[in-house]
Amino acid sequence: MSLPFRTLAALGVAGLALPAALGATLAGATPAGAAAPSQSVPVLNGDFADPAMTGDGPTTVGIDFWTGSNQRYSPSASGRTDNAHGVALQKDNNSLHQRLRGVRTGAKVTVSYEDSPAVSKECTPEQVADGQPYTVEGSGGTAQAVTTAGDPDRTKGRAGSGRWTARSYTFTATENEPLLTFTSKVSNSRTHVTCSPMIAKVRVTEVPTDLDKRVSRMNLERSEAYKGNERQQTLHNAAAACNGENACVFRPDTRMSFRYYGQARVIGEAFVNCTRNPLEHTRVLSYAERTHDSIAQTYVDAGIALTEESRLPSTGDREEDRKRIKERPMATQFALAYEKGWQRPWQWFSSDRREIEENIQPGEVSWVELQPSRERVEGWFHSNKQDYRLHAVIDGPSRAVPDRILQRTGPMSESEKQRCAAARPMTSTPVGADAPAGSADKGLLEIPAPTAPGVRTVHGTSAD
């Protein structure tokens, strides 16, 4: 089932801001030391209006995007004046739950909703007079026990008008896409199944966790997969669901996506000037950058072979990566979403070759360092058809800002000084090694004419 427009808007792609300098915060990010602002979290079908119902209820048809068999009432039958439907949680620990999409581990989540004692005409006065118990819980938080307002004036056989009360619940998520669960605690065996606490109008906000830019591209956050509200044990099925040109859409999480300069590394050799004179020369340098992805790293961690559907162009083998760009639907889905959001093409790999002019003073060393410009994009592959979701982090070379090439010279290290002071390689002189050099030839002797057959003399005649 496709997501409603309001959800697509909330999860939509926005542009990625450029840091003013290395280490600067993203544009629009919260300055250091300031409290992070609260953000709205999309609750799918938070008014319980889908699928559309006929009549006033109660009905036990499954509620879109929620898991749990519960009784649903129309707004008017629930005693409400807005468009929110009321849902009775039934009894005997029956629950209603949904994963909060886009919420990340460490976020502080606040859930706002309303509750009421049952409006079912099957309720006796004793069952609703003092309110009805239930719990609300989010992944990482403690289950909060709540009792609805009482409705002491009820008569069995007459529907209630609802005693709606605003509630809130706050927790800190200990997993991505934490599970929000409402659970009935009505346990009296004589209580009718429809006479149970009701909830309506669920809304969620969060204070998101801080972005950690120190995570190495070699050790990205591991991927995970869901189908609806259920976490998948492996990534296989979610990746297979994306195995088609338009089977999945990649939705970047711009809050967790950023550009950065990679750690500097030496490219080429260090040139040591052991002479007494400056040296000038030209050297040719070549370097290349590749992409890394969390899906492949997750398979490696699990010790299993990467499935064909999950292979992104991140091997570092240029020919293999070119092949995957053409053949892998997920590579296309990611690249299209990136280009749509950031208005420039994504590149899976990059390389360059250039000449460097060096001027090295005596007793100095010359070398070249590279700080590659890179980009990290985090988000979800989503299959509208089966509601599979596959989390992925992709880190690749960036087109947005240039690489940094640092041409360096500096004093020799101790080991380099020792190398420069070392004797040049020699071979031994077995005979007369310690005898003084001597010769009677000081350029005064005549050079005898050659006598070998066929050799021409200085007069142009042959010796024979």
Side-chain angles (χ1 to χ4, degrees):
M1 182 174 294
S2 60
L3 295 177
F5 175 78
R6 62 181 181 274
T7 302
L8 291 175
L11 296 175
V13 178
L16 184 62
L18 172 65
L22 183 63
T25 57
L26 292 174
T30 303
S38 180
Q39 300 178 1
S40 177
V41 174
V43 180
L44 305 185
N45 198 21
D47 289 335
F48 306 115
D50 299 319
M53 63 181 292
T54 55
D56 287 333
T59 62
T60 54
V61 176
I63 303 171
D64 289 355
F65 302 108
W66 293 86
T67 301
S69 178
N70 298 275
Q71 303 289 321
R72 185 167 60 132
Y73 293 79
S74 70
S76 58
S78 302
R80 301 189 60 84
T81 56
D82 56 13
N83 293 323
H85 293 60
V87 174
L89 299 174
Q90 293 193 11
K91 61 174 187 174
D92 299 327
N93 288 310
N94 188 64
S95 67
L96 181 69
H97 59 264
Q98 179 183 139
R99 290 200 173 271
L100 302 178
R101 304 190 183 196
V103 176
R104 297 187 49 80
T105 301
K108 185 178 180 182
V109 183
T110 299
V111 182
S112 302
Y113 64 99
E114 296 179 24
D115 69 13
S116 169
V119 297
S120 170
K121 63 182 180 181
E122 301 295 337
C123 296
T124 64
E126 296 78 13
Q127 290 168 346
V128 292
D130 298 322
Q132 294 182 293
Y134 68 95
T135 61
V136 56
E137 182 178 6
S139 302
T142 2
Q144 179 174 293
V146 187
T147 301
T148 68
D151 193 2
D153 301 326
R154 292 282 296 280
T155 302
K156 184 173 177 160
R158 179 172 60 85
S161 57
R163 298 289 182 93
W164 292 99
T165 304
R167 307 284 186 183
S168 69
Y169 168 67
T170 299
F171 68 98
T172 299
T174 54
E175 65 175 341
N176 293 336
E177 304 218 336
L179 198 64
L180 173 64
T181 305
F182 296 93
T183 305
S184 170
K185 293 300 178 183
V186 174
S187 55
N188 190 325
S189 61
R190 292 182 296 176
T191 300
H192 194 276
V193 69
T194 61
C195 187
S196 54
M198 302 178 67
I199 59 170
K201 201 174 183 178
V202 181
R203 303 289 186 269
V204 175
T205 60
E206 66 163 334
V207 177
T209 185
D210 292 334
L211 173 61
D212 186 358
K213 297 183 180 180
R214 298 168 301 175
V215 176
S216 166
R217 63 179 180 262
M218 305 296 294
N219 190 30
L220 300 171
E221 180 183 349
R222 296 315 187 232
S223 293
E224 53 196 6
Y226 299 91
K227 183 178 183 181
N229 295 316
E230 305 306 316
R231 182 190 290 273
Q232 301 291 288
Q233 294 300 314
T234 70
L235 309 182
H236 297 335
N237 292 338
C242 293
N243 193 27
E245 184 177 354
N246 298 311
C248 283
V249 174
F250 183 80
R251 296 195 178 115
D253 183 348
T254 56
R255 302 171 306 170
M256 310 305 292
S257 302
F258 61 96
R259 292 198 298 268
Y260 69 101
Y261 279 111
Q263 186 175 4
R265 70 175 188 264
V266 175
I267 54 176
E269 296 79 21
F271 200 111
V272 183
N273 185 359
C274 293
T275 73
R276 296 183 179 90
N277 301 300
L279 294 178
E280 294 184 3
H281 77 120
T282 301
R283 75 156 87 183
V284 178
L285 294 175
S286 299
Y287 62 92
E289 287 289 301
R290 54 168 284 202
T291 292
H292 301 264
D293 74 272
S294 62
I295 298 175
Q297 292 178 9
T298 302
Y299 274 90
V300 170
D301 274 0
I304 54 179
L306 189 64
T307 60
E308 186 67 26
E309 297 85 358
S310 304
R311 295 178 179 176
L312 293 175
S314 58
T315 66
D317 181 309
R318 192 61 57 91
E319 292 307 314
E320 173 64 20
D321 286 345
R322 284 196 178 102
K323 178 182 177 183
R324 292 186 182 187
I325 290 171
K326 295 178 181 178
E327 297 179 358
R328 295 274 59 83
M330 288 175 64
T332 302
Q333 293 155 12
F334 173 82
L336 287 174
Y338 177 89
E339 186 167 355
K340 181 179 179 181
W342 279 273
Q343 300 300 307
R344 60 177 177 269
W346 173 262
Q347 60 177 358
W348 293 98
F349 43 77
S350 68
S351 60
D352 200 1
R353 176 184 173 89
R354 61 182 61 199
E355 291 184 350
I356 300 291
E357 300 292 335
E358 292 184 302
N359 189 317
I360 313 168
Q361 298 302 312
E364 285 194 338
V365 182
S366 172
W367 71 99
V368 177
E369 295 178 0
L370 169 70
Q371 270 193 294
S373 168
R374 299 190 63 86
E375 198 155 359
R376 186 167 302 175
V377 179
E378 181 169 333
W380 297 81
F381 289 96
H382 181 244
S383 166
N384 287 327
K385 183 177 180 180
Q386 299 172 294
D387 201 19
Y388 275 111
R389 302 187 307 286
L390 175 58
H391 173 260
V393 185
I394 297 173
D395 188 303
S398 176
R399 294 176 183 264
V401 292
D403 295 331
R404 282 176 172 162
I405 296 182
L406 294 84
Q407 190 167 346
R408 307 282 298 273
T409 59
M412 296 181 190
S413 67
E414 288 303 318
S415 62
E416 288 166 341
K417 290 177 182 178
Q418 293 171 12
R419 182 63 258 167
C420 283
R424 63 190 174 90
M426 297 289 289
T427 188
S428 62
T429 306
V431 178
D434 55 351
S439 173
D441 179 11
K442 295 191 176 181
L444 301 178
L445 300 179
E446 290 186 5
I447 300 174
T451 58
V455 176
R456 290 183 178 272
T457 67
V458 293
H459 302 293
T461 60
S462 174
D464 55 1

